[in-house]
Amino acid sequence: MGYNRAFLIAPAVSSLMPRKKKAEANEKKHEEYGDILFISQGQDIGEEVLTYFRYRTNRSQNSNGHSRIGWIMSANGLVFHPILENSSTTAEGLYDMIRLEGRYTISEDGEVQQCGPLTISCADPSHVVYGGHVIGRLIAAEAIQQVVVGIRCI
């Protein structure tokens, strides 16, 4: 009601054109991949992601010595009490992951390293939200789903 259709369509069309050109240019410079990881109860989430990137690097036939980066896009599920840096959490129990973030580098020779600590936001059973850098292991209390992505620079 009262909207000018030409005004609404024009910005959308003009914004698509530069994206297409940019996508064509980037297409030649890197290769992207993504997967959903399923992590079983009792496993260390950070270690499983490192294992995934190591496997993905060894499996790749066309690495040609190019470096890669990878990161955790999202994760959901329950974790056992995470120990957080500078946190006042002392209760044991299960915590619901709201957000999980981690970054990784894969060197030209295939060595995988975590860049800094995992960062988590989680809620305890009384719905109090905590967050920060994870110190030590982050253990899955149930099956966890994680979306991880990587980019191979060409």
Side-chain angles (χ1 to χ4, degrees):
M1 301 184 151
Y3 293 108
N4 183 343
R5 283 184 169 219
F7 177 75
L8 293 175
I9 293 172
V13 172
S14 65
S15 65
L16 289 177
M17 293 174 72
R19 288 182 190 162
K20 184 176 179 183
K21 289 179 184 177
K22 186 176 180 180
E24 288 172 359
N26 286 341
E27 198 172 291
K28 299 174 186 172
K29 296 182 182 177
H30 69 272
E31 169 190 279
E32 299 173 357
Y33 56 89
D35 285 308
I36 297 175
L37 302 183
F38 296 95
I39 299 174
S40 300
Q41 179 181 2
Q43 292 182 316
D44 182 342
I45 295 170
E47 196 59 41
E48 289 299 311
V49 174
L50 280 170
T51 300
Y52 162 79
F53 282 120
R54 286 183 187 123
Y55 171 76
R56 178 82 183 175
T57 301
N58 292 337
R59 188 176 71 166
S60 177
Q61 298 294 326
N62 279 333
S63 64
N64 296 330
H66 298 294
S67 61
R68 297 184 176 108
I69 57 173
W71 62 95
I72 299 171
M73 292 289 290
S74 68
N76 66 355
L78 294 175
V79 294
F80 289 114
H81 174 69
I83 301 172
L84 304 177
E85 182 178 66
N86 300 325
S87 176
S88 62
T89 59
T90 56
E92 294 292 323
L94 302 179
Y95 288 74
D96 191 14
M97 277 194 294
I98 299 168
R99 180 174 175 234
L100 181 65
E101 179 183 315
R103 291 180 298 279
Y104 301 84
T105 59
I106 301 104
S107 67
E108 292 178 0
D109 61 358
E111 183 180 341
V112 180
Q113 293 184 340
Q114 188 171 333
C115 300
L118 292 176
T119 304
I120 191 171
S121 297
C122 56
D124 67 11
S126 63
H127 307 291
V128 175
V129 176
Y130 300 94
H133 298 298
V134 177
I135 299 173
R137 300 172 59 188
L138 184 61
I139 306 299
E142 66 176 7
I144 301 286
Q145 292 182 0
Q146 281 186 314
V147 177
V148 293
V149 297
I151 296 178
R152 180 173 70 98
C153 303
I154 300 174

